[in-house]
Structures are given as C-alpha cells and as structure tokens.
Amino acid sequence: MRIAAAVLAACLGAWAQSTLTVEQLARFIKSSVQLKHPDRQVAAYLSRCKMSERLDDSMIEELQGYGAGPRTLEAMRRLRDASRDLPAAARPAPEAKRPTIPPPSPEEQKRIIQEVRENALNYTRNLPDFICTQVTRRFVDPSGLELWQSADVLTARLSYFDQREEYKLIMVNNSVTDQSYESVGGATSTGEFGSLLRELFEPKTRAEFEWARWATLRGRRVYVFSYRVPQPYSQWRISYERRLEIIAGYRGEVFVDRDTRMVTRITLEAMDVPPSFPVQQARTVLDYDFTQIGEQDYLLPLRAEVRMRSNRLLTRNDVEFRMYRKFSAEASVSFELDETPAPLSEEQTREQPPQ
C-alpha cells in the first residue's frame, strides 16, 4: 500500500460557535487528552461552544479524572452554568450481558490463519474485470483537535482489468472535470484491491497473528486477530509530497468471516515512524463486502478510511466503492453520473458484539 500526503494550504477564519451534546463534549475532551493537546488551546475552543444539553458536575468530575487541565475545567464550568435550564442528557441504556463465547483452540486458530493466507494470496486472481464508482470525501483539520472541515469530494471511475487498477477523475465537488488525480493534490491512497492483503499474508512479511475476540460485522460472525509486521519485513510505503518516502512497520487487526475464511476488514497503523519524517501518524481501516457482479458474488472493497498527521495538520479520507458492474467497452463508454452518491450508513461499517 502507498499513501501520499501533501500539506493542504488553509486560510481559515475564526471558528463559528459550535453546539455540543454532553457525549460529543466528553469525546472531544478525552481525544484531546490522548493527543496531548495544550490545555489553553482546548479551553479556547470550548469558549466558542455552547451546549445543547445540561452539563452537570458529575461529568466534569469524570473528565477531570480523565486528565482535563485547569483551564479546560474552568471552561466546562462556564458551559455548566450556561446550560442549567437545558434538558438533561439522555443516559445510554446499560448493555445486556452476553454469554462468553470461547475462542477457537490454538490448533484451529493456526488452521484459520492458513486458510485466510491462501485466500488472500489468490484474491486478485479470482476477481472479475469490473468498473465501479469511487467516492473520496476529504477532510482537513489544521488545529490538530479533530475539528474536521470538508476539503473536497472526488468522484472517479475505477476500472479493474487484467488485475490492474485505472482511475479516471470524473467530478470534483459535483462539478464535471478533466483534471487528473495528480493535479488535485492532497492525501490519496491505493492498494485496496488486493495488494494490501497480499503483502500482509506473504510469508516473507512474517506477520505475527494473535487471537483477539469474536465480533459481528454486517450481520456475519467474524474472527478477529491482531497482528504486527516489523519494519525490516514491511512493504508499506508512506510518501510525503512525492519526494520523501519511508517503509514503516505496522500493526492492526484482521476480521475474518467465519463461514468463508475471507477477510472482511483490515486495519493498519504505522509503528516507529522516524521523528524527522513529516508524516508522524498514518492509519487505515479497509472494509470488504460481498457484491454481485454478473451472476456471481465477490468480496470487494466497500469503504476505506485513511488518516494522517503532519505536525498539527490532520487529514482524513473517507473512500467508498459503489455501483460495481462487469467491465466491458460499452460499460466504460456509457459511464455517467449526475451527482455524487450519498454516504454509506454507519450500520454497514460498525462492529457489533458477537450475536
């Protein structure tokens, strides 16, 4: 897999006042603590916010215990006072306890990984020639606080023929264009159609797999394994502005369909990136789903999320693959799209407990 990152120039004015629920406030504070954002910067953002629900002392105490700084606490107390007359936040219903499902035996785990390896190494050989629509929604946050702002939406025709991918940019922000992908710049990714899977499961990569848990994904029971790939055996390239490049070690999780032994989700997170390299963090989540092409079902990319950080600049690409159809000269010529498809629902990508 290759990720190319370019610093997106941003001339941004002051943020408009944001309205937060108690849950959104809690997620924001916890994320800020984890990312070690300055207390003054977090408090300054909260000073421009208002609550849509009543903020109480118990939540402030909980966030103080999580590590919120003194200025952040003072900003939350002001939000508490301003929200006294608002309705209370809805309490989430307690999750029902589910029976514990024992993991597969160590011998069975080895057999599962071996079957998954064989499927992954043969994955691209079994794919048909097809055309689909790739929609990339790109977001940027110059503050580093995960306050995402939409950058653009790229809609492309993706042709897969003779085990090779070809991209043609069709629209930028719902406007037809003749631009190439290279000319629009910004953060991009490739490798969703097999190279990522193949490189992880190749014996020379020496990936180390361990049992993690059972889960349910898109209504199907899955095995979840964690893994690590040391840098000396990695093939994951991260490049910056097409002039600097490293090969990074990585770790993540693999979700395996229990019935077919096919990978339905894979996550990657870069490890041990050199401090001097401009991209300090890189993470990808790639989902596959069964899709009908012609009269047969194939496991094909559904959605990818690619996140990167360069100093305080955060970028996020939400990539969706839609409208698969069998490749033909007629299909290529007749490819038309009036507007960008709506985003996929969260239900299609949300992990659930084992059913």
Side-chain angles (χ1 to χ4, degrees):
M1 181 177 184
R2 177 181 296 271
I3 296 180
V7 175
L8 302 176
C11 298
L12 302 172
W15 287 308
Q17 189 178 55
S18 299
T19 301
L20 301 175
T21 65
V22 172
E23 181 182 359
Q24 289 171 333
L25 172 70
R27 285 205 309 264
F28 169 69
I29 298 300
K30 291 178 180 180
S31 174
S32 299
V33 171
Q34 290 177 338
L35 296 172
K36 296 181 173 57
H37 294 314
D39 182 33
R40 176 183 300 178
Q41 192 176 29
V42 177
Y45 172 70
L46 291 181
S47 70
R48 291 186 286 271
C49 295
K50 62 180 181 180
M51 302 300 299
S52 62
E53 303 169 327
R54 185 164 66 244
L55 177 62
D56 57 30
D57 288 322
S58 62
M59 177 55 69
I60 295 177
E61 291 172 3
E62 178 182 332
L63 295 174
Q64 181 179 14
Y66 200 85
R71 298 190 182 190
T72 299
L73 292 172
E74 184 58 33
M76 286 195 289
R77 293 187 184 106
R78 287 194 292 269
L79 290 174
R80 175 202 60 193
D81 295 341
S83 65
R84 289 190 187 279
D85 297 329
L86 295 177
R91 294 290 182 181
E95 291 188 7
K97 291 186 177 180
R98 299 179 183 272
T100 301
I101 304 175
S105 67
E107 294 76 16
E108 179 65 14
Q109 292 177 31
K110 291 180 181 179
R111 285 195 294 269
I112 294 168
I113 291 297
Q114 184 56 38
E115 290 181 41
V116 175
R117 188 187 309 277
E118 293 174 3
N119 289 334
L121 295 179
N122 291 308
Y123 176 74
T124 55
R125 300 175 190 170
N126 298 324
L127 287 183
D129 296 334
F130 61 81
I131 289 178
C132 73
T133 300
Q134 176 179 301
V135 180
T136 304
R137 294 176 173 86
R138 303 198 295 183
F139 301 86
V140 61
D141 170 27
S143 74
L145 295 173
E146 296 201 21
L147 307 174
W148 298 107
Q149 303 180 33
S150 176
D152 54 23
V153 181
L154 309 179
T155 306
R157 181 189 70 199
L158 192 159
S159 302
Y160 187 84
F161 180 74
D162 198 21
Q163 300 185 28
R164 291 187 298 180
E165 304 163 30
E166 179 182 313
Y167 298 83
K168 179 175 175 52
L169 191 61
I170 302 297
M171 293 190 295
V172 177
N173 299 328
N174 274 337
S175 296
V176 177
T177 182
D178 291 327
Q179 289 180 272
S180 64
Y181 256 117
E182 292 74 15
S183 64
V184 297
T188 60
S189 69
T190 60
E192 291 86 0
F193 287 90
S195 60
L196 188 155
L197 273 178
R198 184 182 64 253
E199 290 171 4
L200 173 60
F201 284 96
E202 283 182 345
K204 66 180 181 182
T205 302
R206 301 193 187 185
E208 303 164 355
F209 295 93
E210 290 186 2
W211 172 258
R213 62 188 180 278
W214 288 100
T216 299
L217 193 63
R218 288 179 284 284
R220 300 176 69 97
R221 176 73 62 83
V222 294
Y223 310 104
V224 183
F225 293 89
S226 62
Y227 71 87
R228 294 174 63 91
V229 175
Q231 191 277 336
Y233 309 109
S234 172
Q235 301 176 65
W236 190 20
R237 299 179 183 274
I238 304 175
S239 65
Y240 179 79
E241 293 187 342
R242 305 183 188 280
R243 58 183 176 83
L244 299 176
E245 185 175 86
I246 62 168
I247 297 178
Y250 56 99
R251 62 189 171 196
E253 292 184 329
V254 173
F255 291 59
V256 178
D257 187 88
R258 181 188 59 181
D259 299 326
T260 65
R261 301 295 203 264
M262 299 286 284
V263 173
T264 55
R265 170 178 289 173
I266 182 171
T267 73
L268 300 89
E269 182 178 358
M271 299 189 304
D272 303 323
V273 176
S276 60
F277 191 68
V279 179
Q280 288 87 40
Q281 294 177 346
R283 187 173 189 272
T284 294
V285 179
L286 173 59
D287 278 277
Y288 294 85
D289 199 9
F290 293 94
T291 302
Q292 186 174 6
I293 297 181
E295 298 180 354
Q296 189 171 345
D297 286 338
Y298 297 92
L299 193 67
L300 293 164
L302 172 70
R303 183 181 184 273
E305 181 182 276
V306 181
R307 294 191 180 211
M308 288 176 283
R309 180 174 68 84
S310 178
N311 295 321
R312 286 171 55 185
L313 176 67
L314 303 179
T315 63
R316 188 185 93 217
N317 287 7
D318 293 345
V319 187
E320 296 177 0
F321 304 91
R322 314 288 288 276
M323 302 168 60
Y324 282 96
R325 71 204 80 173
K326 193 171 183 179
F327 180 89
S328 68
E330 292 78 11
S332 179
V333 171
S334 64
F335 184 93
E336 293 181 0
L337 202 62
D338 296 328
E339 60 182 15
T340 301
L344 292 167
S345 69
E346 290 186 5
E347 293 297 324
Q348 293 179 271
T349 57
R350 182 183 298 150
E351 177 187 344
Q352 297 177 332
Q355 303 292 332

